[in-house]
Amino acid sequence: MDDISIGLLKGIKKSFSSGVEDSKTINDLLKKLDDKKADYEDAQKYAIEVGELLSKSFEENIDSASLPNGKMYYNIAKKVVDPELKEGFEKVSDYSTKVQKILNEDAKIGLKVQSPTFNQARSNGIVRRLADAESYDDVSWILKDPVVNFNQSVVDDTIKVNAEAHYKVGMHPKITRKVAGNACDWCMNLAGTYEYPDNVPDEVYHRHRDCRCIVTYNPGNGKAVQDVHSKKWFESEDKVETLGTQNVDYMGMPKKITFNSGDGDMKTVKVYKADGAQNIYIQNYDKQTRSMVAYLDDVINKKNKYGQIDNIIVLNNNRLKGIAAYRHDDNSLFISKELIDPNKFAKIVDPSVFPARSVTDVLDHELGGHKRHWDAVKRYKADNKIDDLNDAKMQIESSMRKHVVNQMRSDPLYINKTVSVNAERSFYAKKSLNELIADANILVERNELSDNELNRLVKEVINYDGKSK
């Protein structure tokens, strides 16, 4: 197998070297680099050309007939594929870092250019996938477009490490992902502007097969915004086109908020005031966030369905670590941006635990349930001159609590059957009616609450009108 590996590698290297030397695209791009006119768009073209030439070299020199038993054994793949992926990496990394140096000089950024590291784990994955297949013919595709993708990712990694370097010295880089061509839903959803590092999801740098999305990099020097592919500098972000429209920088000045996440830890995250909504704050401005902001502004602010909400914070679900939350201390709603997407909603909200089936149900839970519940408790406390908020809460809930306890004596699964598993868990763990009231309100809004007396008692509590009970 060693002799086979050596022969295959020699043939691949010869084909690749000849392809690079004869490529008009490569030669034109290298000249542009020498003239210091290259940009990240050129780096992407260079990466694609290198990837395609490398893929062609694999195809010309490897087939099932040249392999023992028609199989690409691990030792062969490791000795043949891994070195050539590294050779392609070196070429693209060298081009990309030289592009970054040109951009830094043009922007008068006196920082050393950072180089990306070879993605050994990804290379190992390709090798393993080749070796695991019983027949090379079944998996030969992985040395085609994935090799091009591998080289493109080197350009993205160059952007990432240099944004990190700029951030560490006090600059405020912004990364914008822009779709290209007939983009898929996944790419469309990622399009938007993100401030580095807290608000940049890892997926911004990811590429799927045939992906040609554009990334815009703002080094945050207070002078200009730069499109890393076109190398054009603009006075502000509003000159950079995204999704075919003029994309204004909606982020504004950052504001730090602290909240108790769903995993029980206190979290602090930077958010930005959304454009046109005085009380909505966002982590980033991707497609899902824009849709969620529009929906919340319409339902909460314009239609005023739930009364005044002082702060509406739209977070990534992986930061919130929960579905949504209402904080009565400062009248704030926290909500996962992904809930606006029905497919993502179905993955986040377990229908066997929660009665919510849509983002509207979530608002009916958090605001129609929790907010109105706490507003009623506070009114009751003031009307009855009660010193402690929890005492007022126990009093206003007393009739409902009595009814629930009586029903549970005859049927221990009463809360589970009538309201939800979520309400049942909360009651048993904390003896609290909060989740029961909030989940029951969803069912009330949908005319699905089967217990008429509980229906009446829920309305009585959350609609408390200011009279002593």
Side-chain angles (χ1 to χ4, degrees):
M1 287 191 182
D2 287 342
D3 291 338
I4 292 173
S5 300
I6 293 171
L8 289 176
L9 182 58
K10 183 177 179 180
I12 293 166
K13 281 186 173 294
K14 183 178 180 180
S15 296
F16 183 47
S17 177
S18 297
V20 170
E21 184 177 345
D22 295 340
S23 171
K24 184 178 185 302
T25 298
I26 293 290
N27 290 323
D28 288 346
L29 290 170
L30 288 174
K31 184 179 186 305
K32 201 169 183 181
L33 187 68
D34 289 340
D35 294 339
K36 293 191 174 184
K37 295 180 180 179
D39 53 36
Y40 268 109
E41 184 175 1
D42 295 313
Q44 285 290 350
K45 291 177 181 177
Y46 186 84
I48 291 169
E49 182 71 4
V50 167
E52 289 178 347
L53 290 171
L54 185 54
S55 176
K56 183 179 179 181
S57 299
F58 284 133
E59 185 176 9
E60 289 176 347
N61 290 275
I62 306 174
D63 57 28
S64 59
S66 66
L67 299 170
N69 303 316
K71 177 179 172 67
M72 174 73 82
Y73 288 94
Y74 179 83
N75 286 344
I76 299 175
K78 186 66 177 175
K79 293 177 181 180
V80 170
V81 175
D82 188 69
E84 288 308 282
L85 289 177
K86 287 178 179 175
E87 185 174 353
F89 165 82
E90 292 297 336
K91 290 183 179 297
V92 177
S93 175
D94 181 68
Y95 196 100
S96 297
T97 52
K98 287 178 178 177
V99 164
Q100 184 65 52
K101 183 179 180 180
I102 293 170
L103 302 181
N104 283 1
E105 291 173 352
D106 286 350
K108 296 180 174 55
I109 298 174
L111 295 176
K112 180 181 177 181
V113 173
Q114 303 299 306
S115 300
T117 57
F118 179 70
N119 192 335
Q120 188 64 61
R122 188 170 180 180
S123 177
N124 291 344
I126 292 175
V127 168
R128 176 56 62 189
R129 184 69 182 274
L130 288 165
D132 285 346
E134 289 300 318
S135 170
Y136 176 71
D137 289 339
D138 294 337
V139 76
S140 61
W141 61 267
I142 204 169
L143 293 182
K144 295 180 181 178
D145 192 76
V147 171
V148 179
N149 189 304
F150 187 95
N151 283 276
Q152 284 181 270
S153 70
V154 178
V155 181
D156 299 327
D157 289 343
T158 305
I159 295 169
K160 187 175 182 179
V161 294
N162 281 282
E164 172 70 11
H166 291 178
Y167 171 77
K168 284 182 177 179
V169 297
M171 300 169 71
H172 300 283
K174 288 183 182 179
I175 304 295
T176 296
R177 180 166 173 136
K178 176 183 174 182
V179 298
N182 296 319
C184 65
D185 290 343
W186 185 78
C187 286
M188 290 288 288
N189 185 54
L190 280 174
T193 299
Y194 309 84
E195 179 162 333
Y196 191 90
D198 292 341
N199 299 325
V200 183
D202 290 339
E203 292 85 353
V204 164
Y205 304 104
H206 291 180
R207 290 181 177 274
H208 58 74
R209 191 181 302 184
D210 297 322
C211 183
R212 299 294 184 268
C213 287
I214 305 298
V215 177
T216 298
Y217 173 43
N218 176 359
N221 62 359
K223 295 180 180 179
V225 175
Q226 181 192 33
D227 186 317
V228 297
H229 292 283
S230 70
K231 194 188 162 191
K232 294 178 181 178
W233 288 88
F234 304 96
E235 292 299 320
S236 64
E237 194 74 35
D238 64 350
K239 299 288 183 67
V240 183
E241 291 189 356
T242 299
L243 294 175
T245 61
Q246 293 299 320
N247 182 36
V248 179
D249 181 6
Y250 290 91
M251 295 302 208
M253 295 301 293
K255 169 183 177 180
K256 288 187 177 181
I257 58 165
T258 301
F259 61 95
N260 191 3
S261 67
D263 58 12
D265 295 333
M266 294 301 294
K267 305 284 187 182
T268 299
V269 64
K270 281 196 299 186
V271 293
Y272 305 82
K273 185 169 288 186
D275 180 66
Q278 293 300 310
N279 59 344
I280 301 181
Y281 297 86
I282 57 180
Q283 262 192 281
N284 47 56
Y285 208 68
D286 58 10
K287 183 181 178 182
Q288 283 182 343
T289 301
R290 293 195 296 271
S291 297
M292 180 62 86
V293 167
Y295 173 79
L296 295 175
D297 190 44
D298 179 61
V299 173
I300 297 176
N301 294 332
K302 295 176 181 176
K303 294 180 180 176
N304 196 31
K305 181 177 179 180
Y306 305 101
Q308 174 64 34
I309 311 296
D310 294 333
N311 304 291
I312 303 169
I313 299 97
V314 180
L315 298 174
N316 299 338
N317 181 252
N318 61 4
R319 294 305 296 270
L320 184 57
K321 301 292 185 184
I323 300 169
Y326 174 72
R327 189 164 66 191
H328 69 86
D329 293 344
D330 58 358
N331 193 26
S332 295
L333 170 70
F334 297 82
I335 189 166
S336 299
K337 69 174 186 180
E338 291 87 350
L339 297 178
I340 199 68
D341 181 337
N343 293 326
K344 294 287 182 64
F345 186 100
K347 294 179 180 179
I348 294 171
V349 183
D350 186 347
S352 68
V353 177
F354 304 97
R357 300 292 180 265
S358 67
V359 66
T360 298
D361 286 347
V362 172
L363 294 186
D364 283 339
H365 175 101
E366 300 297 344
L367 302 180
H370 288 313
K371 179 184 185 299
R372 290 167 66 192
H373 181 194
W374 281 109
D375 287 350
V377 170
K378 292 172 184 177
R379 289 195 300 269
Y380 186 89
K381 176 180 179 292
D383 291 345
N384 293 278
K385 297 180 174 57
I386 301 172
D387 294 331
D388 185 74
L389 188 66
N390 286 326
D391 288 343
K393 186 172 182 295
M394 291 298 293
Q395 288 185 33
I396 197 173
E397 294 173 355
S398 59
S399 295
M400 183 188 299
R401 185 175 296 275
K402 182 178 179 180
H403 174 73
V404 170
V405 170
N406 285 338
Q407 295 301 311
M408 290 177 66
R409 288 195 180 106
S410 54
D411 184 358
L413 296 177
Y414 165 75
I415 299 177
N416 182 319
K417 294 177 180 178
T418 308
V419 184
S420 68
V421 172
N422 174 53
E424 180 186 53
R425 289 175 179 174
S426 178
F427 186 81
Y428 276 113
K430 306 174 184 177
K431 301 303 178 187
S432 170
L433 291 175
N434 290 5
E435 291 301 308
L436 185 149
I437 291 172
D439 277 352
N441 185 63
I442 294 175
L443 301 176
V444 169
E445 291 292 328
R446 296 200 312 232
N447 295 316
E448 295 177 5
L449 188 58
S450 58
D451 184 343
N452 292 332
E453 180 61 11
L454 181 61
N455 189 317
R456 183 189 70 80
L457 290 169
V458 168
K459 292 178 179 178
E460 181 180 87
V461 169
I462 64 178
N463 294 326
Y464 172 72
D465 60 4
K467 298 177 182 177
S468 297
K469 187 178 175 184

